[in-house]
Amino acid sequence: MKFFADTAEIAEIRDLAATGLLDGVTTNPSLIHKSGRDFLEVVKEIAGVVEGPVSAEVVALDHQGMMREAEVLRKIADNIAIKVPLTEDGLKTCKALTSDGTMVNVTLCFSAAQALLAAKAGATFISPFVGRHDDVGFDGMALIADIRLIYDNYDYATQILVASVRHPMHVVEAAKIGADVMTAPPKIIHQLFKHPLTDSGIKSFLADWEKTGQKIG
Ligand code: G3P
């Protein structure tokens, strides 16, 4: 499973990239606003830190406007994935961009029907928002399972990118279903490393080691 960081905070991205476990980054207009940075500048900086895809989202709602913005964004670096919303114009843009060899992340997916359309449009990634789906009383993980089944039925190459991840179990459940990628805020990725029994185990091993009076090297 690929791990993407859902943030535009460069320090957090550098920190995660240093683990060697970070495969890409996703941004959205809200995360850019939160960073307080210039959109094009921060995306360029992120694309220089991670080798994998960096999603940058268009804000136009019409096909021509999306194409114009995508043209600006894809020039930033070779690893930019253009993020488009799951609308008719978004999928038209997706089809045009992917036919031209540009990576496209189709975002704001909330149904299996939408995910099927995105795959038909040649999307590189489909981003179902599990947390926001759960928030309104639906089952985000059931949606991931449905998309996995449909994509496997037809051998669609579109990668399922689980987004709006709110806690470590979202990651584990998505991995059990076989999602290709998950994107999460850095805080959640750091939580994945942690277990209280790991901490207490280290503590007791070190206490016993201390008693041996030995040193390594
Ligand atoms: O980047 C899209 C998605 O991950 C947003 O998550 O927490 O704002 O629903 P959230």
Coordinates of all heavy atoms in Angstrom, one line a residue, residues 109-111 129-140 143 164 166 170:
C109 N -15.0 11.8 -4.3 CA -15.9 10.6 -4.8 C -16.6 10.1 -3.6 O -16.0 9.8 -2.5 CB -14.9 9.6 -5.3 SG -15.8 8.0 -5.6
F110 N -17.9 9.9 -3.7 CA -18.8 9.5 -2.6 C -19.7 8.3 -3.0 O -20.5 7.9 -2.3 CB -19.6 10.6 -2.1 CG -18.8 11.6 -1.3 CD1 -18.3 12.7 -2.0 CD2 -18.4 11.4 0.0 CE1 -17.5 13.7 -1.3 CE2 -17.6 12.3 0.6 CZ -17.2 13.5 0.0
S111 N -19.5 7.8 -4.3 CA -20.3 6.6 -4.6 C -19.5 5.7 -5.6 O -18.6 6.1 -6.3 CB -21.6 7.0 -5.3 OG -21.4 7.4 -6.7
F129 N -13.7 9.7 -0.2 CA -13.5 10.4 1.1 C -14.2 9.6 2.2 O -15.4 9.8 2.5 CB -14.1 11.8 1.1 CG -13.3 12.8 0.4 CD1 -12.4 12.5 -0.6 CD2 -13.4 14.2 0.8 CE1 -11.6 13.5 -1.2 CE2 -12.6 15.2 0.2 CZ -11.7 14.8 -0.8
V130 N -13.5 8.7 2.8 CA -14.1 7.8 3.8 C -14.6 8.5 5.1 O -15.7 8.3 5.5 CB -13.2 6.6 4.2 CG1 -13.1 5.6 3.0 CG2 -11.9 7.0 4.7
G131 N -13.8 9.4 5.6 CA -14.2 10.1 6.8 C -15.5 11.0 6.6 O -16.4 10.9 7.4
R132 N -15.5 11.7 5.5 CA -16.7 12.6 5.3 C -17.9 11.7 5.0 O -19.1 12.1 5.3 CB -16.4 13.5 4.1 CG -15.4 14.6 4.5 CD -15.3 15.7 3.4 NE -14.1 16.5 3.6 CZ -13.8 17.5 2.9 NH1 -14.7 18.0 2.0 NH2 -12.7 18.2 3.2
H133 N -17.7 10.5 4.4 CA -18.8 9.6 4.2 C -19.4 9.1 5.5 O -20.6 9.1 5.7 CB -18.3 8.4 3.3 CG -19.3 7.9 2.3 ND1 -19.6 6.6 2.3 CD2 -20.1 8.5 1.4 CE1 -20.5 6.4 1.4 NE2 -20.8 7.5 0.8
D134 N -18.4 8.7 6.4 CA -18.9 8.2 7.7 C -19.6 9.3 8.5 O -20.6 9.1 9.1 CB -17.6 7.9 8.6 CG -16.9 6.6 8.1 OD1 -17.4 5.9 7.2 OD2 -15.8 6.3 8.6
D135 N -19.1 10.6 8.3 CA -19.7 11.7 9.0 C -21.2 11.9 8.7 O -21.9 12.4 9.6 CB -19.0 13.1 8.6 CG -17.6 13.2 9.1 OD1 -17.2 12.5 10.0 OD2 -16.9 14.1 8.6
V136 N -21.6 11.5 7.5 CA -23.1 11.7 7.2 C -23.9 10.4 7.3 O -24.9 10.3 6.7 CB -23.2 12.4 5.8 CG1 -22.7 13.9 5.8 CG2 -22.6 11.6 4.7
G137 N -23.3 9.5 8.0 CA -24.1 8.3 8.3 C -24.0 7.1 7.3 O -24.7 6.2 7.3
F138 N -23.0 7.3 6.4 CA -22.8 6.1 5.5 C -21.5 5.4 5.9 O -20.8 5.8 6.8 CB -22.6 6.7 4.0 CG -23.9 7.2 3.4 CD1 -24.2 8.6 3.6 CD2 -24.7 6.4 2.7 CE1 -25.4 9.1 3.1 CE2 -25.9 6.9 2.2 CZ -26.2 8.2 2.4
D139 N -21.2 4.3 5.2 CA -20.1 3.4 5.6 C -19.0 3.6 4.6 O -19.0 3.1 3.5 CB -20.5 2.0 5.7 CG -19.4 1.0 6.1 OD1 -18.3 1.5 6.2 OD2 -19.7 -0.2 6.4
G140 N -18.0 4.5 5.0 CA -16.9 4.8 4.0 C -16.2 3.5 3.6 O -15.8 3.4 2.4
L143 N -17.8 1.5 0.9 CA -17.6 2.1 -0.4 C -16.3 1.7 -1.0 O -16.2 1.4 -2.2 CB -17.7 3.7 -0.3 CG -17.3 4.5 -1.5 CD1 -18.2 4.2 -2.7 CD2 -17.3 6.0 -1.2
S164 N -9.6 11.4 3.2 CA -10.4 11.8 4.3 C -10.2 10.7 5.4 O -11.2 10.3 6.1 CB -11.9 12.0 3.9 OG -12.6 12.6 5.0
R166 N -9.3 9.5 9.0 CA -9.4 10.2 10.3 C -8.7 9.5 11.4 O -8.5 10.0 12.5 CB -10.9 10.3 10.6 CG -11.7 11.1 9.6 CD -11.6 12.6 9.8 NE -12.1 13.4 8.7 CZ -13.4 13.6 8.5 NH1 -14.3 13.1 9.3 NH2 -13.7 14.3 7.5
H170 N -8.8 3.3 9.9 CA -9.2 3.6 8.5 C -8.1 3.0 7.6 O -8.4 2.4 6.5 CB -9.4 5.1 8.2 CG -10.8 5.6 8.4 ND1 -11.0 6.9 8.8 CD2 -12.0 5.0 8.3 CE1 -12.3 7.1 8.9 NE2 -12.9 6.0 8.6

